[in-house]
Amino acid sequence: MVDLNAMSDRSIARPLDGNGAVSEPGVPTEFLPPAAPAAKTVAGYAVHLFTALGIVPVFLAMAEVCSPVPEPRLVFLYLAIQVLIDAFDGPLARAVHIKHSAPRIDGRTIDDLVDYLSYTFVPLMLVWRMGWVPQPGAAWVVPAMVASLFGFANKGAKDEHAGFFLGFPSYWNVVAFYAGLWHAAAGPWPGAVVIVALTILTVLPVRFIYPNLAPRPWKWPIMIGAFAWAALLVWMTLDYPRVDPRIVTASLAYPAFYVAVSIWAGARRT
């Protein structure tokens, strides 16, 4: 005689145990992924926590924007710390196979939330707060914020396999940095024009290279150039925003190179 109770015990998965074994009551075990070892589970959730801690420098940056006399250099310092976290959390997540080791948390959601605040909301709030665009400042920064929301919500915005972003990848922290320089040298209109142009590019199907995953043979030139350019920006903050115009012009060589390579490589991709 067949013991139906025994068959049920063998074929029905139990709820989560302390080691993170997955299941909903009533789901056959043969359809369930194997539980990750405890050490891998801890590593996976540690990476999620590392990504989430990016909100700390974002908070500090926003607090500085809201201070009675904001110091833009401090804001950019805090945002740079978040950029470093963002640069390392992806490789760490891939190293620990995070979708299997910590499947309950969607790291992409955490990453997108923190990235939107650090790459879009806080930098554009700084532009608005400092008056680096013509008044009313909200008329320039709010459309950029809305466009970036569509960019982050676009399921095809990141083509990681090919190494491209679709649309301007919301590097508004960089735009804000240059908006302060342009305002000091020529007033609010240069920054406004650039913001409008990039707002439009954010929602257009234009490919920009994903630096960490750039297609060959451009990955190393893009990455090495980015490090050299970042070092130059750090040096420029010493006199920010009253930086020698010749240095400002020279610093734009890398963004021009990045855009040119993106257009060329993107055209070949299509």
Side-chain angles (χ1 to χ4, degrees):
M1 183 175 180
V2 177
D3 187 345
L4 296 178
N5 289 330
M7 290 180 62
S8 175
D9 288 343
R10 287 193 296 270
S11 62
I12 304 300
R14 297 306 182 194
L16 285 165
D17 61 20
N19 293 324
V22 292
S23 179
E24 292 293 336
V27 179
T29 54
E30 59 266 26
F31 298 115
L32 295 172
K40 290 185 178 180
T41 299
V42 171
Y45 284 104
V47 173
H48 283 318
L49 177 61
F50 178 70
T51 301
L53 286 175
I55 201 64
V56 175
V58 172
F59 166 78
L60 294 173
M62 192 64 212
E64 184 61 31
V65 171
C66 295
S67 65
V69 184
E71 172 51 73
R73 289 179 293 185
L74 264 182
V75 176
F76 293 129
L77 172 62
Y78 294 137
L79 294 179
I81 293 172
Q82 160 52 19
V83 170
L84 290 176
I85 293 174
D86 190 42
F88 285 105
D89 66 353
L92 289 174
R94 289 187 286 272
V96 302
H97 305 286
I98 202 162
K99 290 184 178 180
H100 298 289
S101 60
R104 286 186 165 221
I105 302 298
D106 185 356
R108 175 61 62 84
T109 299
I110 299 175
D111 191 58
D112 283 347
L113 288 169
V114 176
D115 281 359
Y116 179 78
L117 292 171
S118 62
Y119 287 97
T120 297
F121 187 76
V122 174
L124 289 173
M125 284 296 293
L126 178 65
V127 170
W128 170 80
R129 179 75 169 82
M130 300 301 296
W132 288 341
V133 289
Q135 296 302 315
W140 307 94
V141 303
V142 170
M145 291 178 179
V146 173
S148 284
L149 282 173
F150 280 97
F152 275 90
N154 184 354
K155 293 181 179 180
K158 289 183 180 180
D159 184 357
E160 296 183 355
H161 178 72
F164 289 97
F165 293 107
L166 191 65
F168 173 66
S170 294
Y171 294 145
W172 296 108
N173 50 349
V174 175
V175 176
F177 185 87
Y178 279 101
L181 296 171
W182 293 329
H183 182 268
W189 282 104
V193 171
V194 171
I195 287 174
V196 169
L198 294 179
T199 297
I200 295 171
L201 286 174
T202 301
V203 294
L204 290 181
V206 180
R207 287 184 172 86
F208 288 82
I209 285 179
Y210 195 138
N212 287 348
L213 303 173
R216 294 181 179 180
W218 298 109
K219 181 174 182 177
W220 288 113
I222 290 287
M223 294 298 294
I224 293 172
F227 282 116
W229 175 64
L232 178 58
L233 295 187
V234 170
W235 182 59
M236 289 166 63
T237 59
L238 298 177
D239 297 318
Y240 192 90
R242 301 291 179 180
V243 180
D244 188 326
R246 293 171 296 180
I247 297 176
V248 176
T249 301
S251 73
L252 290 170
Y254 176 76
F257 166 74
Y258 169 79
V259 171
V261 171
S262 294
I263 293 172
W264 184 85
R268 288 176 60 88
R269 177 67 181 173
T270 57

